[in-house]
Amino acid sequence: MISIRSLNKIYLMGENVVKALDDVSVTIAQGEFAAILGTSGSGKSTLMNIIGCLDTRYNSGEYELCGQNVSKLSGRALSLIRNNKIGFIFQGFNLVPTLTARENVELPLIYRKTPTRKRQRLIDDALEIVGLTSRSLHKPSELSGGQQQRVAIARAIASTPDIILADEPCGNLDSKAGQKVMNTLSMLNSEGKTIVLITHDEKATSAANKIIRLSDGRVVS
């Protein structure tokens, strides 16, 4: 599903050359739970942006997603992949504060012009999966941090993407709320979703069946 071969990404910072990714090769099969583990500056955020088709500007190497060479795709094709194949979960939740949990989950589906009846069913299913049906009419300020992150997960999975890309999803949560989020991701993986977790926390990788360790832009194990 995800195949990255000999990828190099270089930044020029004044007169200095910084190798964000140095000859990185990564393969993640359909249905795997992969954790990309590294400290700040290891290259994991750069790799995440490339996997999520948010950044297609690398210096050399190849990235194939579902058999497609990402660097050769048009802007429209990349947008369709981001909208339909990848569900994004970020550390900061990124919920609209004036909307209810249900409306936050609904928003991307409206942008995709999903028909109303199907949209309502997808919202109901997503909120039930994350255990927030009873809190669906609450706004983010009325929810705990863990509940807000589960709304973000519901939003990510409502469009039934093939891949869930989670960037430090427990970074702003206490251990109990973080464990609930990880349990939800594990459940989604058991149902066939491919999970790619970006984290600096070794403990967060316990649910993964593949761990990719980065250091100074290189895969070290």
Side-chain angles (χ1 to χ4, degrees), residues 53 68 70 72-85:
C53 299
Q68 293 180 295
V70 170
K72 297 184 183 299
L73 296 178
S74 67
R76 176 174 172 74
L78 290 168
S79 180
L80 288 172
I81 285 175
R82 289 191 296 267
N83 286 334
N84 298 315
K85 287 189 175 295

Side-chain angles (χ1 to χ4, degrees), residues 55-191:
D55 182 3
T56 59
R57 297 170 298 172
Y58 32 89
N59 297 85
S60 61
E62 290 188 349
Y63 171 30
E64 288 189 358
L65 177 62
C66 302
Q68 293 180 295
N69 189 327
V70 170
S71 66
K72 297 184 183 299
L73 296 178
S74 67
R76 176 174 172 74
L78 290 168
S79 180
L80 288 172
I81 285 175
R82 289 191 296 267
N83 286 334
N84 298 315
K85 287 189 175 295
I86 304 174
F88 294 91
I89 303 168
F90 298 106
Q91 180 177 349
F93 314 149
N94 293 345
L95 301 178
V96 180
T98 57
L99 299 182
T100 65
R102 186 177 188 85
E103 289 167 338
N104 268 283
V105 175
E106 183 178 29
L107 198 57
L109 298 175
I110 293 174
Y111 292 150
R112 294 184 183 100
K113 299 182 180 179
T114 306
T116 301
R117 184 174 295 180
K118 181 180 180 181
R119 193 165 73 227
Q120 298 309 314
R121 177 176 57 78
L122 290 171
I123 296 166
D124 289 340
D125 290 347
L127 287 170
E128 183 176 359
I129 287 170
V130 301
L132 286 178
T133 300
S134 64
R135 308 286 286 175
S136 64
L137 299 182
H138 289 70
K139 293 180 179 178
S141 61
E142 301 169 320
L143 301 171
S144 68
Q147 289 170 335
Q148 290 182 59
Q149 188 61 292
R150 282 188 282 153
V151 172
I153 293 174
R155 181 182 57 193
I157 65 176
S159 59
T160 63
D162 298 322
I163 301 167
I164 303 294
L165 186 56
D167 180 23
E168 301 280 8
C170 305
N172 289 332
L173 306 178
D174 61 38
S175 59
K176 185 176 180 180
Q179 188 57 56
K180 287 184 178 180
V181 166
M182 293 307 301
N183 289 344
T184 302
L185 292 176
S186 294
M187 180 187 66
L188 290 167
N189 178 243
S190 70
E191 295 175 352

